[in-house]
Amino acid sequence: LFYQKAPFVDSMEENPVRPYASGFLKNGKLLREKIKQHTAYPYGMLREQVQEHILDQLQTLLDRRLIKGIYENGTEYIAIATALNMKKELVRLIQKFDFTRQNPKAVYINAGEKVISLEDSILMALLHLMGFDVVFFVPTGYRSVEGHFQGGLLEEHQLGEYMYDLRVPDFAAAGSGAGKRGWMERIFRKA
């Protein structure tokens, strides 16, 4: 997955789960049956084990309080609404991916001066818990997601000089050429 523009999840977009999120949690535990039976629940068509995996990792995100504000200022309800409203392409990838063979990759490129949104941070933390390898590429060196994550979730590496006013290329159009490894393979190659 490539996220090339911050924010990926717009907090102003319609989210059919948002009005009901507060009713999906009681005493810090997801009310799974209530969630699954609700008309706003979008994942009922997925295999049961995939649905449970999503809900298990959402519960882990809440239990570990990986996002600042969970159980302090209502951020847990934003986390529930975000996790239960993933875009169709992402849900399809989760449904078809065999996590036992190779971890899926999510690359979030933030070449601008925007801080990554709370919803994007929640989504990336959830994907990490689900088994995705998540990389944030921030050539400006500006604070990006650090404001939303609790300590210990991120490992930061700084390489080279900071770069500004970059335009993110269209990686799909670039291709990797015959016989050459593409940039994605070079970054995530197996040892």
Side-chain angles (χ1 to χ4, degrees), residues 121-134:
S121 299
I122 290 166
L123 180 61
M124 292 301 118
L126 181 65
L127 292 178
H128 167 70
L129 291 171
M130 292 179 70
F132 280 70
D133 292 330
V134 179

Side-chain angles (χ1 to χ4, degrees), residues 10-120:
D10 185 354
S11 61
M12 301 308 288
E13 283 181 9
E14 181 183 347
N15 182 333
V17 178
R18 188 177 296 131
Y20 310 106
S22 62
F24 292 159
L25 188 69
K26 184 175 183 178
N27 298 326
K29 298 296 177 200
L30 291 172
L31 302 173
R32 291 172 185 247
E33 289 310 310
K34 184 174 183 180
I35 291 170
K36 288 180 178 182
Q37 292 173 4
H38 200 279
T39 57
Y41 180 64
Y43 305 145
M45 77 292 201
L46 298 175
R47 293 186 325 259
E48 188 67 29
Q49 68 193 71
V50 175
Q51 293 181 54
E52 287 300 316
H53 184 59
I54 292 169
L55 294 174
D56 286 345
Q57 300 318 314
L58 174 56
Q59 185 67 61
T60 300
L61 183 130
L62 297 172
D63 291 345
R64 292 176 51 194
R65 300 175 189 220
L66 295 177
I67 303 296
K68 291 179 181 174
I70 288 182
Y71 300 126
E72 294 173 10
N73 61 13
T75 302
E76 62 273 16
Y77 304 121
I78 297 170
I80 292 169
T82 301
L84 296 180
N85 191 44
M86 290 186 278
K87 294 188 190 260
K88 186 186 308 185
E89 299 79 21
L90 178 55
V91 173
R92 288 177 177 173
L93 179 64
I94 292 167
Q95 167 76 8
K96 76 176 184 175
F97 210 86
D98 182 358
F99 289 90
T100 61
R101 289 189 160 169
Q102 181 183 17
N103 290 0
K105 317 296 185 220
V107 178
Y108 196 118
I109 301 171
N110 187 6
E113 297 184 351
K114 290 185 178 179
V115 174
I116 294 174
S117 71
L118 172 61
E119 289 82 2
D120 283 4

Side-chain angles (χ1 to χ4, degrees), residues 176 180-190:
S176 62
K180 294 182 180 179
R181 289 199 330 223
W183 72 273
M184 188 73 167
E185 292 170 349
R186 289 191 303 267
I187 292 174
F188 295 111
R189 70 177 176 259
K190 288 189 174 189

